[in-house]
Amino acid sequence: MLTRGVTQILEVCYKSGVRVVTIYAFSIENFKRSRFEVDALMNLAKLKLDQLSQHGELLQRYGASIRILGQRELVKPDVLEAIDKAMELTKGNGDAILNVCFPYTSRAEITTAVRGCVEDWSKPVVVDLAALQEKQRAFSETHITHNIRSRHLSTDAARTRAHSPSSAENSDVEGSLTTSSSATTLQPSTPLEMFLPGTGGEKTQTHHEYPNPERITQATLDEHMFTAGMPPLELLVRTSGVERLSDFMLWQSHQNTEVVFLDCLWPEFDLWTFLPVLVEWQWRRRKEGEGKGDRLLASSSSSKAR
């Protein structure tokens, strides 16, 4: 996971102003391998995390915190203990971030984010009547529907009285019955009176309201991703000589993300392989910044490696 070459790459990134570096250490798909291979990879991860906890000078020097992104429930207890120890060691650092995806796939991350949104939007919120009345607007859909229904019922009642033989005699009675009927028909729009615990037994008018799903946006899902609050993905480096993303950072990739494919295996990925990529990327960003006049570069950059 953190070889000598990767350690050098991290140092260059942090010196260059790259704030976030993410490493794809273990895919959920790896669990489909033989148990022997999975155990070997887990033990290797535990060893590297223990080494990081014992020799975390680089992260401390640049104020970098380590974060493990992935499905914790799939990790063995002893490896999970090593993960928590490494995160605890650097939790006070806030200048930079080292993300380690373990175990991770982008589809699992997106699924987790959607699940979190559904859970949040499925919880009813108890709103006080006074606050609810302030929230409602005169031209809201609910208000307009209420008025249309009220007028429709009043018109029907007037027509019934006009065609009734005894409308004149019973106008007062029918009018009171119609008003009562209208109130009953529109009762769902009225607040619910209930006793709230701890209020001394006094009645409080409340209303149960669910969040409007129309308010769910891309930003809502961003907030539920493992990378919530981090800068956008600008550079993705894919090693191993294959041209595919392997279910890595699919949500975070956008129209300006640069993807670089390198014909070298992960253990061979060192500083001298990475430097040309970094320099060329920063050069292109600088040219774009000169063209636009106000583009920020490395201060808000994020680099991802696989």
Side-chain angles (χ1 to χ4, degrees):
M1 184 166 51
L2 290 183
T3 62
R4 183 174 181 274
V6 173
T7 302
Q8 293 176 336
I9 290 172
L10 289 177
E11 186 164 12
V12 169
C13 285
Y14 294 146
K15 282 184 176 180
S16 302
V18 177
R19 179 170 171 254
V20 181
V21 178
T22 301
I23 300 173
Y24 197 0
F26 189 92
S27 170
I28 293 177
E29 296 297 318
N30 286 335
F31 285 110
K32 296 179 180 179
R33 299 186 179 187
S34 67
R35 184 170 181 176
F36 174 79
E37 290 181 284
V38 172
D39 289 343
L41 290 171
M42 285 288 178
N43 291 333
L44 178 61
K46 182 176 181 297
L47 175 63
K48 294 297 183 180
L49 288 168
D50 287 337
Q51 291 177 351
L52 184 63
S53 299
Q54 297 171 9
H55 308 284
E57 297 87 359
L58 174 65
L59 299 180
Q60 298 294 349
R61 189 187 316 147
Y62 294 99
S65 62
I66 184 171
R67 301 185 186 181
I68 308 298
L69 313 184
Q71 309 298 320
R72 291 174 57 93
E73 66 276 9
L74 301 178
V75 181
K76 297 193 302 182
D78 59 331
V79 181
L80 196 59
E81 182 179 349
I83 288 174
D84 293 336
K85 185 177 179 181
M87 293 177 63
E88 180 70 20
L89 177 69
T90 61
K91 69 176 184 179
N93 298 340
D95 296 332
I97 297 173
L98 170 61
N99 290 323
V100 180
C101 295
F102 177 88
Y104 172 92
T105 63
S106 188
R107 287 174 297 174
E109 179 187 17
I110 295 172
T111 302
T112 302
V114 172
R115 188 183 298 117
C117 288
V118 172
E119 290 176 356
D120 290 347
W121 257 253
S122 299
K123 298 175 182 177
V125 180
V126 178
V127 183
D128 183 72
L129 176 61
L132 180 64
Q133 289 175 338
E134 289 182 11
K135 182 179 177 181
Q136 289 178 337
R137 296 178 298 176
F139 294 99
S140 66
E141 182 179 348
T142 303
H143 186 79
I144 295 173
T145 304
H146 185 283
N147 287 341
I148 292 176
R149 288 179 177 174
S150 299
R151 292 178 184 178
H152 179 71
L153 290 172
S154 299
T155 303
D156 288 348
R159 290 176 179 173
T160 302
R161 289 196 301 271
H163 291 84
S164 174
S166 55
S167 59
E169 299 176 2
N170 301 323
S171 58
D172 292 340
V173 177
E174 288 179 2
S176 63
L177 289 175
T178 303
T179 303
S180 174
S181 175
S182 298
T184 303
T185 303
L186 299 174
Q187 192 169 354
S189 298
T190 62
L192 172 67
E193 288 189 354
M194 61 182 295
F195 290 98
L196 293 180
T199 59
E202 64 272 15
K203 276 188 176 181
T204 304
Q205 290 184 323
T206 60
H207 176 77
H208 285 81
E209 187 177 275
Y210 286 88
N212 184 1
E214 294 294 332
R215 294 169 53 196
I216 297 177
T217 63
Q218 176 180 324
T220 308
L221 285 176
D222 281 337
E223 293 170 0
H224 288 80
M225 293 290 167
F226 297 148
T227 55
M230 299 183 193
L233 169 59
E234 295 191 32
L235 175 63
L236 191 151
V237 180
R238 177 62 162 102
T239 61
S240 302
V242 295
E243 296 185 1
R244 59 173 182 265
L245 295 180
S246 298
D247 209 353
F248 179 52
M249 294 288 165
L250 301 181
W251 175 266
Q252 290 79 5
S253 299
H254 53 87
Q255 69 274 13
N256 293 322
T257 301
E258 290 192 25
V259 183
V260 178
F261 299 100
L262 297 178
D263 191 15
C264 70
L265 299 178
W266 175 250
E268 302 168 352
F269 184 56
D270 58 10
L271 178 60
W272 304 111
T273 308
F274 177 68
L275 268 180
V277 176
L278 180 63
V279 171
E280 185 177 354
W281 170 72
Q282 289 188 327
W283 178 77
R284 281 196 297 268
R285 283 291 182 266
R286 186 171 291 109
K287 287 197 65 176
E288 292 177 7
E290 291 174 356
K292 296 180 180 178
D294 59 350
R295 180 177 176 83
L296 295 177
L297 298 176
S299 59
S300 62
S301 298
S302 178
S303 176
K304 317 291 180 180
R306 168 66 171 91

